[in-house]
Amino acid sequence: MGSRRQFLKTTALGLGGLSVGFSALAYITDFSGLKEATGDMKINLTRTPTYCEICFWKCAGWVYKREDGSIWKITGNDEDQHSNGRFCPRGTGGVGIYNDTDRLKTPLIRIGERGEHKFREASWEEALDLIAEKMKSIASDYGPESVALMNHGSGGKYFGDLLKAYGSTNIAAPSYAQCRGPREVAFINTFGEAIESPERTDIRDTKCLVLIGSHIGENMHNGQVQEMSDAIDKGAAIITVDPRFSVAASKSKYWLPIKPATDLALLLSWINVLTTENWIDKDYVEKNTYGYDLLKAHVSSMTPEWAYGITGIQPDVIRKTAKEMFNVSPAVIIHPGRHVTWYGDDTQRLRAVAILNALLGSWGRRGGFYNPSTSVLPSYPHPPFPTPKTTWRDAFPGQFHLADESVSSKICDATIPAELRDFSFKAWLVYGTNLIMTFPDQAKTIEAIKHLDLMVAIDTMPMEITSWADVVLPECTYLERYDSIRVSPHRKPSIALRMPAFEPKDNTKSAYWMARELASRLGLLEFFPFEKLEDYLDWQLRQMGSSLEEMQKIGVKTFEREADDLYFTPGEQHEFSTPTGKIELYSTAFADEGFDPVPVYTPHPEPPSGFYRLNYGRAPMHTFSRTSNNPNLNDLMDENSLWVNPKVAKEWGLTHNQPVWLQNQDGKKSNFSIKVRITERIRWDSVYMVHGFGHATKQLSRTYGKGVSDTELITNVMTDPIMGGTGMRGNFVTFLTEKPEEALS
Amino acid sequence: MREELIISGRMNASIDPQLTIWAWEIPLYLFLGGLAAGILFFAGLYTILGKEKEFPSAIEKTPMVVPFLLVIGLLALFADLNHKMYFWRLYTTIRLESPMSWGAWVLMVVTPVSFIWAAIHLKKSFPKWKWPYAWLDTTEAFFISHKKILAWIMVIYSLILGIYTGILFSAFNARPLWNTSILGPLFLTSGLSTGAALNIIMAKSQKERHSFSKIDLMLIGIELFLIIHIFMGFLASTQVQIDAANLFLGGPYTAPFWILVVFFGMILPGILEFLELRNYKIPVLIPALLVIAGGLLFRFIWTFAGQASRWLY
Amino acid sequence: MRYAMAVDTKKCVGCSDCVVACQTENNVPIGYCRDWIVEVVDGTYPQLELELRSERCNHCDNAPCVRCCPTGASHILEGGFVMVTPEKCIGCGACITSCPYDARYPHPDGYVDKCTFCMHRVKKGQLPACVATCPTKCMYFGDLDDPTSAVSMVLKTRKHKTLIPEAGTKPQLYFLI
Ligand SMILES: Nc1nc2c(c(=O)[nH]1)N[C@H]1C(S)=C(S)[C@@H](COP(=O)(O)OP(=O)(O)OC[C@H]3O[C@@H](n4cnc5c(=O)[nH]c(N)nc54)[C@H](O)[C@@H]3O)O[C@H]1N2
Ligand SMILES: Nc1nc2c(c(=O)[nH]1)N[C@H]1C(S)=C(S)[C@@H](COP(=O)(O)OP(=O)(O)OC[C@H]3O[C@@H](n4cnc5c(=O)[nH]c(N)nc54)[C@H](O)[C@@H]3O)O[C@H]1N2
Ligand code: SF4
Ligand code: SF4
Ligand code: SF4
Ligand code: SF4
Ligand code: SF4
Ligand SMILES: [Mo]
């Protein structure tokens, strides 16, 4: 311990030096020219580095303050590969998350029924003691494995560490089974590697970008949007497959207005065209792939004519677009998408995507998929984590072997006691995920929560999820705390620092502090050797040849790659981490698990008459349900609207902006109404809305009752048998022009 | 189908979905300005023509209200200003291209003149009136002896003021409904018509009243002619002006304008005045008040409809 | 010197970053804005076209808002910046009604406000906030009199239009089409 104390002393010295470096950051700018325009804006600027937490692209940037200490603006860090100095609207609007007066202010302990959002204010001591006591008794009654962590966000790491130290590895994020899980499994079982975030797509240098539903431009993942724009500048051809006329579709050379749920047929027919016409990267395929002949035989009947009957896409368009891809290969990307949990056969659809890329030789090639590089963060030695006796997988014997991460929705399922299972979850820690809006089938989520002995929500805002918690722990926003050093895969390895620009408002604390306090109460402090996170960060940074002080000044540090391996070298025969060591066009692992080793198209149900497929997506200025109450972003868009094709509107006599309620195939009605937008951008068999609205939490003063939540209408979940993803696009809705009795407003 | 929508920004309530930057203040201001112009015009005109005997009310009594009208009008204008503390900035510069500036300066002349005119006729209406200071008596005497000059100033400036109430709008190319050169003459005519109507009410003698009824009938005729011309002009012009006209030809302003302004504010009072001239027993108050109310409504409707008319792009 | 801006409608995704960046940079109060996004959809499914435009004051060469201002609060500066001096503005609203683009708004503090082309930044050699943040880099800003400026270059090579040229205001915000 002596050496540690010694170390802390040096850190303290370092921190002393810090204040000097810090004041050097404060400078006064000449605003004399401005006075005339904007009145009084004599501002003394200070800027602090951060990386953005409004979504998971994690752009690094700067937080600027005014002289009076209030927040002025947030901009990108030029050095940062994720943002290239430019934030997206949500990141720019991050100022609102700090200013939102609806924020959680102090720990809360439930006094009402679950879901009622009736709490009393509590001290941190009391709230943490209560949680620790409960966790202790659950550990002794049911074993620590019956506690799960659902998390989505930077601070989740510390609760993860806490849980692992406590004895549970049931740590899941909605970014897997509700999001990119199928694509990772598909790519792992094709190329031996996952796509990861940020995506390794070399859009910047591509000559042909094929988007299967990915609505980049509305999906505002910064780097991709920027690179797509660069690609447009350079004349790249974009091919967008989307039943809706997305923004990306409008920028495309080819828009394929596909019939929803039929993408796999289109993909297979593309494979058919490429293999029959021999429009493939022969050398690459020969050297690197496994199962080409099996694949070719498998798709031989899946001609464009066959696909036309299913997808509605003209055979000549299928051929032309296939040629377009081949012509520029390997600088072509059949984009793997990100939120891909659509119809339950998603892993197979993404396998077809992976196979197309393999045939065109785009994996590991310029303009295709680059080989990312990541900085490695040293971790301070601590005792090994205990080995848990059970995991969530034990609740589903024989299933989901290929899932490479925990399946959040399966943990939810396994929380509801079942006869055939001797194990169910007793407690959830929920960090930074609004599960009520995030998981499909709300009734099931709520039923699961009702079976819990303890439910803790760690959040920054009063949200649907916090109203179901027993204890609510208010976290300060990302602008008020340190978090782990950002190390994300990219073209070059890099690190980025998030540091507080402000003191935490009210009685809020950082996740690190909370997790460590709980660890201390559970006797697990040895897993959290540093009292202050910044000391840990400084230790890590020093191992990497930097320091906290340096990072506070520069925010981002980029390193050179160790080897020149961003792309494969020409003619390289690469060793892939698959069972065969090759790119598996035919998946041996799938075959072993009893799944189709090459994708097979199966039709999906269509909307019954009078019903329309519920399509949903992103608005560029909002992230899921987390930003709709953000004052700045709410100002840009304060409710979602229901896109209805003019033909449908005419049939129903709907007028522009008319409020309607919705009812789905299972009779589930929307809580609130949504305004109709009559637009040609949506098909006649579907309606469309932006996810994240229709909040039913009254404490969200700006967004309560505004618009409709897609989630509440997604009751039919099509589970992916391979990895447990929750297919959410098989729901159909009809219009209610009169307010239903049970509606909230 | 063509769809054009603002997807973000422009949430400023006074701009979108429709410009409502000018509410009741500006139309009231314009109406009162027009009415004042009408009254001063007739008072000045008949003084110059030496018809004091035939038009005693128009020259001596009706102008008594003008200072009040102008003060209320100016208060309305002041109420419209959002940055009131800086009101005085209007008078630190003359901006010839700005009708607002013009109006401010015209009122700077007209308002004192109207006060002087009212003052020198005060004793006619209130025979017991005594000025508290002797120098006021001298001043009064000075102005009475130069009454003809005052009258000339009044005629000229009232015409400018009357036209200005229309030009304030027609200078705005941005609002197709306002952007017509007929608006100046039309608002002037309307102002004169309301002035004549007030004179009808104030007139003691039937002769004076009938003279103003005749004048008013003629003015109403001119107004109707100009209105028809405005719409013909619009319909023969670009799509934006056709759209502007359509606000009144089937659009939301159709009924209020044609029924309330044109019929009840012009045609009906015209008929009544005509019948009264033919010695039918009609209380003169009715057509006169209809004309005044019509004139007021006209300004309101034109202000609001103008803000609803816009360029398409 | 004649500053101008060009927005590439082929790259703009309508994300509204330019709107929120302007609001924060220029302390535009919530509920107001100096720039905004227009979406135009034409055609019938699936034969469709979409145009996205980031709009703001056009800093017109022939600016009616400046002409109609009774106090001289609205004025044009060297470089073509159409500006408003709050201390001279009486808030009469004439300039608001005179602008065919509805680019001005009444600031809650009383004066009229609008896009300044971020003159305070331009003077320091920075790009306007909206241009500097736009994730698609679809906005170009610079001096039209300088043939090598970004905006001159892009206007030379790309087809472009202005909004309502027939209104005669000679707008200096160009849209690449
Ligand atoms: N602004 C913003 N950006 C975000 C996020 C956000 O919350 N806000 N979230 C981020 C995250 S975590 C994710 S996972 C991504 C998600 O972004 P994407 O991966 O792009 O999301 P998807 O849900 O796959 O795409 C929605 C699109 O799919 C289309 N679609 C619907 N049904 C079908 C179909 O049957 N076939 C085809 N081909 N298309 C269909 C819809 O019309 C819509 O255009 O966005 C990221 N970026
Ligand atoms: N119906 C439907 N469901 C979906 C999707 C969809 O499009 N439609 N998309 C799916 C996808 S792709 C994903 S990735 C997931 C995303 O799912 P989530 O990440 O659960 O998304 P949000 O709804 O934004 O919930 C985030 C929660 O984190 C809180 N939060 C924000 N910042 C912080 C912080 O700094 N600290 C803490 N402690 N809390 C914070 C917010 O207040 C909010 O309660 O949703 C999935 N579910
Ligand atoms: S993409 Fe936007 S919201 Fe996401 S991290 Fe970057 S700036 Fe923040
Ligand atoms: S920031 Fe750029 S891409 Fe986004 S709306 Fe504005 S101009 Fe368009
Ligand atoms: S766009 Fe409007 S506000 Fe800007 S200079 Fe032109 S007329 Fe004036
Ligand atoms: S509102 Fe201000 S800037 Fe506009 S015209 Fe009036 S005084 Fe000039
Ligand atoms: S140039 Fe500056 S003031 Fe104008 S819209 Fe852009 S950010 Fe706003
Ligand atoms: Mo996601």
Side-chain angles (χ1 to χ4, degrees), chain B residues 11 27 70 112 131 133 152 155 174 184 190 205 221 223 235 246 254-255 268 285 291:
Chain B
M11 60 302 277
L70 290 178
W131 294 108
Y133 304 107
W152 271 109
V155 169
S190 167
S205 73
E223 273 187 273
L235 292 178
N246 282 336
T254 310
L268 182 62
L285 210 59
V291 165

PDB file of all heavy atoms in Angstrom, chain B residues 11 27 70 112 131 133 152 155 174 184 190 205 221 223 235 246 254-255 268 285 291:
ATOM      1  N   MET B  11     -39.500  28.653 -35.269  1.00  0.00           N
ATOM      2  CA  MET B  11     -40.604  28.372 -34.370  1.00  0.00           C
ATOM      3  C   MET B  11     -41.128  29.675 -33.764  1.00  0.00           C
ATOM      4  O   MET B  11     -41.946  29.662 -32.879  1.00  0.00           O
ATOM      5  CB  MET B  11     -40.184  27.371 -33.291  1.00  0.00           C
ATOM      6  CG  MET B  11     -39.046  27.802 -32.392  1.00  0.00           C
ATOM      7  SD  MET B  11     -37.510  28.192 -33.249  1.00  0.00           S
ATOM      8  CE  MET B  11     -36.803  26.577 -33.439  1.00  0.00           C
ATOM      9  N   PRO B  27     -53.119  48.666 -37.891  1.00  0.00           N
ATOM     10  CA  PRO B  27     -54.350  49.040 -38.604  1.00  0.00           C
ATOM     11  C   PRO B  27     -55.110  50.176 -37.912  1.00  0.00           C
ATOM     12  O   PRO B  27     -55.655  51.048 -38.585  1.00  0.00           O
ATOM     13  CB  PRO B  27     -55.170  47.745 -38.644  1.00  0.00           C
ATOM     14  CG  PRO B  27     -54.526  46.808 -37.699  1.00  0.00           C
ATOM     15  CD  PRO B  27     -53.102  47.228 -37.586  1.00  0.00           C
ATOM     16  N   LEU B  70     -55.142  61.702 -33.627  1.00  0.00           N
ATOM     17  CA  LEU B  70     -53.708  61.529 -33.906  1.00  0.00           C
ATOM     18  C   LEU B  70     -52.952  61.042 -32.683  1.00  0.00           C
ATOM     19  O   LEU B  70     -52.059  60.198 -32.786  1.00  0.00           O
ATOM     20  CB  LEU B  70     -53.122  62.845 -34.425  1.00  0.00           C
ATOM     21  CG  LEU B  70     -53.601  63.219 -35.836  1.00  0.00           C
ATOM     22  CD1 LEU B  70     -53.002  64.559 -36.260  1.00  0.00           C
ATOM     23  CD2 LEU B  70     -53.224  62.135 -36.851  1.00  0.00           C
ATOM     24  N   PRO B 112     -48.969  68.975 -34.779  1.00  0.00           N
ATOM     25  CA  PRO B 112     -49.048  70.343 -34.233  1.00  0.00           C
ATOM     26  C   PRO B 112     -50.035  71.220 -34.995  1.00  0.00           C
ATOM     27  O   PRO B 112     -50.762  72.001 -34.388  1.00  0.00           O
ATOM     28  CB  PRO B 112     -47.615  70.867 -34.376  1.00  0.00           C
ATOM     29  CG  PRO B 112     -46.808  69.814 -35.010  1.00  0.00           C
ATOM     30  CD  PRO B 112     -47.597  68.577 -35.126  1.00  0.00           C
ATOM     31  N   TRP B 131     -57.962  81.963 -22.792  1.00  0.00           N
ATOM     32  CA  TRP B 131     -56.582  81.491 -22.669  1.00  0.00           C
ATOM     33  C   TRP B 131     -55.982  82.020 -21.383  1.00  0.00           C
ATOM     34  O   TRP B 131     -56.213  83.174 -21.019  1.00  0.00           O
ATOM     35  CB  TRP B 131     -55.736  81.962 -23.864  1.00  0.00           C
ATOM     36  CG  TRP B 131     -56.169  81.358 -25.170  1.00  0.00           C
ATOM     37  CD1 TRP B 131     -56.810  81.999 -26.181  1.00  0.00           C
ATOM     38  CD2 TRP B 131     -55.997  80.011 -25.575  1.00  0.00           C
ATOM     39  NE1 TRP B 131     -57.070  81.146 -27.221  1.00  0.00           N
ATOM     40  CE2 TRP B 131     -56.564  79.883 -26.874  1.00  0.00           C
ATOM     41  CE3 TRP B 131     -55.450  78.871 -25.000  1.00  0.00           C
ATOM     42  CZ2 TRP B 131     -56.586  78.699 -27.574  1.00  0.00           C
ATOM     43  CZ3 TRP B 131     -55.467  77.691 -25.722  1.00  0.00           C
ATOM     44  CH2 TRP B 131     -56.033  77.608 -26.986  1.00  0.00           C
ATOM     45  N   TYR B 133     -52.920  82.751 -20.583  1.00  0.00           N
ATOM     46  CA  TYR B 133     -51.855  83.743 -20.711  1.00  0.00           C
ATOM     47  C   TYR B 133     -52.120  84.627 -21.917  1.00  0.00           C
ATOM     48  O   TYR B 133     -52.636  84.167 -22.941  1.00  0.00           O
ATOM     49  CB  TYR B 133     -50.490  83.078 -20.870  1.00  0.00           C
ATOM     50  CG  TYR B 133     -50.169  82.135 -19.747  1.00  0.00           C
ATOM     51  CD1 TYR B 133     -50.201  80.759 -19.939  1.00  0.00           C
ATOM     52  CD2 TYR B 133     -49.832  82.626 -18.472  1.00  0.00           C
ATOM     53  CE1 TYR B 133     -49.925  79.887 -18.920  1.00  0.00           C
ATOM     54  CE2 TYR B 133     -49.548  81.748 -17.441  1.00  0.00           C
ATOM     55  CZ  TYR B 133     -49.589  80.391 -17.659  1.00  0.00           C
ATOM     56  OH  TYR B 133     -49.315  79.528 -16.645  1.00  0.00           O
ATOM     57  N   TRP B 152     -53.638  75.640 -46.290  1.00  0.00           N
ATOM     58  CA  TRP B 152     -52.837  75.041 -47.373  1.00  0.00           C
ATOM     59  C   TRP B 152     -51.954  73.903 -46.835  1.00  0.00           C
ATOM     60  O   TRP B 152     -51.893  72.820 -47.434  1.00  0.00           O
ATOM     61  CB  TRP B 152     -51.944  76.110 -48.024  1.00  0.00           C
ATOM     62  CG  TRP B 152     -52.646  76.820 -49.156  1.00  0.00           C
ATOM     63  CD1 TRP B 152     -53.095  78.100 -49.188  1.00  0.00           C
ATOM     64  CD2 TRP B 152     -52.948  76.249 -50.426  1.00  0.00           C
ATOM     65  NE1 TRP B 152     -53.695  78.396 -50.391  1.00  0.00           N
ATOM     66  CE2 TRP B 152     -53.616  77.264 -51.183  1.00  0.00           C
ATOM     67  CE3 TRP B 152     -52.765  75.007 -51.023  1.00  0.00           C
ATOM     68  CZ2 TRP B 152     -54.085  77.069 -52.485  1.00  0.00           C
ATOM     69  CZ3 TRP B 152     -53.223  74.810 -52.324  1.00  0.00           C
ATOM     70  CH2 TRP B 152     -53.878  75.828 -53.043  1.00  0.00           C
ATOM     71  N   VAL B 155     -54.138  70.879 -46.246  1.00  0.00           N
ATOM     72  CA  VAL B 155     -54.560  70.145 -47.451  1.00  0.00           C
ATOM     73  C   VAL B 155     -53.403  69.292 -47.979  1.00  0.00           C
ATOM     74  O   VAL B 155     -53.557  68.095 -48.233  1.00  0.00           O
ATOM     75  CB  VAL B 155     -55.052  71.134 -48.534  1.00  0.00           C
ATOM     76  CG1 VAL B 155     -55.219  70.404 -49.871  1.00  0.00           C
ATOM     77  CG2 VAL B 155     -56.369  71.741 -48.107  1.00  0.00           C
ATOM     78  N   ALA B 174     -42.427  42.402 -50.254  1.00  0.00           N
ATOM     79  CA  ALA B 174     -42.421  41.051 -49.706  1.00  0.00           C
ATOM     80  C   ALA B 174     -43.825  40.496 -49.507  1.00  0.00           C
ATOM     81  O   ALA B 174     -44.001  39.282 -49.408  1.00  0.00           O
ATOM     82  CB  ALA B 174     -41.673  41.028 -48.377  1.00  0.00           C
ATOM     83  N   GLY B 184     -52.156  53.288 -52.214  1.00  0.00           N
ATOM     84  CA  GLY B 184     -52.041  54.675 -51.739  1.00  0.00           C
ATOM     85  C   GLY B 184     -53.338  55.444 -52.013  1.00  0.00           C
ATOM     86  O   GLY B 184     -54.011  55.917 -51.084  1.00  0.00           O
ATOM     87  N   SER B 190     -60.372  56.089 -48.996  1.00  0.00           N
ATOM     88  CA  SER B 190     -61.083  55.542 -47.849  1.00  0.00           C
ATOM     89  C   SER B 190     -60.992  56.494 -46.660  1.00  0.00           C
ATOM     90  O   SER B 190     -61.976  56.710 -45.947  1.00  0.00           O
ATOM     91  CB  SER B 190     -60.483  54.174 -47.497  1.00  0.00           C
ATOM     92  OG  SER B 190     -60.938  53.750 -46.250  1.00  0.00           O
ATOM     93  N   SER B 205     -76.308  71.664 -40.233  1.00  0.00           N
ATOM     94  CA  SER B 205     -77.289  71.985 -41.267  1.00  0.00           C
ATOM     95  C   SER B 205     -77.460  70.814 -42.232  1.00  0.00           C
ATOM     96  O   SER B 205     -76.524  70.064 -42.493  1.00  0.00           O
ATOM     97  CB  SER B 205     -76.834  73.222 -42.055  1.00  0.00           C
ATOM     98  OG  SER B 205     -75.753  72.857 -42.888  1.00  0.00           O
ATOM     99  N   GLY B 221     -67.836  55.501 -54.634  1.00  0.00           N
ATOM    100  CA  GLY B 221     -67.752  55.066 -56.032  1.00  0.00           C
ATOM    101  C   GLY B 221     -66.295  54.877 -56.439  1.00  0.00           C
ATOM    102  O   GLY B 221     -65.917  53.843 -57.016  1.00  0.00           O
ATOM    103  N   GLU B 223     -63.746  54.356 -54.483  1.00  0.00           N
ATOM    104  CA  GLU B 223     -63.200  53.207 -53.745  1.00  0.00           C
ATOM    105  C   GLU B 223     -63.525  51.888 -54.426  1.00  0.00           C
ATOM    106  O   GLU B 223     -62.651  51.039 -54.619  1.00  0.00           O
ATOM    107  CB  GLU B 223     -63.793  53.168 -52.324  1.00  0.00           C
ATOM    108  CG  GLU B 223     -63.042  53.989 -51.307  1.00  0.00           C
ATOM    109  CD  GLU B 223     -63.609  53.754 -49.921  1.00  0.00           C
ATOM    110  OE1 GLU B 223     -64.581  54.450 -49.540  1.00  0.00           O
ATOM    111  OE2 GLU B 223     -63.103  52.846 -49.233  1.00  0.00           O
ATOM    112  N   LEU B 235     -55.003  39.646 -60.484  1.00  0.00           N
ATOM    113  CA  LEU B 235     -55.302  38.443 -61.264  1.00  0.00           C
ATOM    114  C   LEU B 235     -54.545  38.430 -62.579  1.00  0.00           C
ATOM    115  O   LEU B 235     -54.303  37.378 -63.148  1.00  0.00           O
ATOM    116  CB  LEU B 235     -56.812  38.329 -61.491  1.00  0.00           C
ATOM    117  CG  LEU B 235     -57.600  38.043 -60.203  1.00  0.00           C
ATOM    118  CD1 LEU B 235     -59.094  37.990 -60.482  1.00  0.00           C
ATOM    119  CD2 LEU B 235     -57.143  36.735 -59.560  1.00  0.00           C
ATOM    120  N   ASN B 246     -56.545  35.592 -54.169  1.00  0.00           N
ATOM    121  CA  ASN B 246     -57.419  34.471 -53.827  1.00  0.00           C
ATOM    122  C   ASN B 246     -57.744  34.398 -52.334  1.00  0.00           C
ATOM    123  O   ASN B 246     -58.694  33.735 -51.946  1.00  0.00           O
ATOM    124  CB  ASN B 246     -56.802  33.152 -54.297  1.00  0.00           C
ATOM    125  CG  ASN B 246     -57.014  32.971 -55.796  1.00  0.00           C
ATOM    126  OD1 ASN B 246     -57.935  33.548 -56.363  1.00  0.00           O
ATOM    127  ND2 ASN B 246     -56.147  32.191 -56.414  1.00  0.00           N
ATOM    128  N   THR B 254     -62.625  36.127 -47.755  1.00  0.00           N
ATOM    129  CA  THR B 254     -63.677  36.425 -48.721  1.00  0.00           C
ATOM    130  C   THR B 254     -64.907  37.035 -48.048  1.00  0.00           C
ATOM    131  O   THR B 254     -65.320  38.156 -48.386  1.00  0.00           O
ATOM    132  CB  THR B 254     -64.081  35.136 -49.468  1.00  0.00           C
ATOM    133  OG1 THR B 254     -62.889  34.508 -49.935  1.00  0.00           O
ATOM    134  CG2 THR B 254     -64.980  35.460 -50.645  1.00  0.00           C
ATOM    135  N   ALA B 255     -65.481  36.314 -47.106  1.00  0.00           N
ATOM    136  CA  ALA B 255     -66.724  36.791 -46.487  1.00  0.00           C
ATOM    137  C   ALA B 255     -66.505  38.094 -45.710  1.00  0.00           C
ATOM    138  O   ALA B 255     -67.228  39.074 -45.938  1.00  0.00           O
ATOM    139  CB  ALA B 255     -67.310  35.703 -45.600  1.00  0.00           C
ATOM    140  N   LEU B 268     -73.949  49.412 -48.954  1.00  0.00           N
ATOM    141  CA  LEU B 268     -75.156  49.712 -48.174  1.00  0.00           C
ATOM    142  C   LEU B 268     -75.192  51.182 -47.733  1.00  0.00           C
ATOM    143  O   LEU B 268     -76.192  51.871 -47.985  1.00  0.00           O
ATOM    144  CB  LEU B 268     -75.277  48.765 -46.978  1.00  0.00           C
ATOM    145  CG  LEU B 268     -76.535  48.969 -46.123  1.00  0.00           C
ATOM    146  CD1 LEU B 268     -77.798  48.701 -46.938  1.00  0.00           C
ATOM    147  CD2 LEU B 268     -76.520  48.062 -44.888  1.00  0.00           C
ATOM    148  N   LEU B 285     -77.034  58.950 -39.113  1.00  0.00           N
ATOM    149  CA  LEU B 285     -76.014  58.301 -38.311  1.00  0.00           C
ATOM    150  C   LEU B 285     -75.659  56.914 -38.860  1.00  0.00           C
ATOM    151  O   LEU B 285     -74.497  56.499 -38.843  1.00  0.00           O
ATOM    152  CB  LEU B 285     -76.553  58.169 -36.877  1.00  0.00           C
ATOM    153  CG  LEU B 285     -75.513  58.186 -35.753  1.00  0.00           C
ATOM    154  CD1 LEU B 285     -74.720  59.479 -35.804  1.00  0.00           C
ATOM    155  CD2 LEU B 285     -76.205  58.036 -34.404  1.00  0.00           C
ATOM    156  N   VAL B 291     -69.880  53.573 -42.721  1.00  0.00           N
ATOM    157  CA  VAL B 291     -68.678  53.914 -43.500  1.00  0.00           C
ATOM    158  C   VAL B 291     -67.446  53.898 -42.590  1.00  0.00           C
ATOM    159  O   VAL B 291     -66.405  53.346 -42.939  1.00  0.00           O
ATOM    160  CB  VAL B 291     -68.845  55.293 -44.167  1.00  0.00           C
ATOM    161  CG1 VAL B 291     -67.496  55.812 -44.662  1.00  0.00           C
ATOM    162  CG2 VAL B 291     -69.813  55.183 -45.332  1.00  0.00           C
TER     163      VAL B 291
END
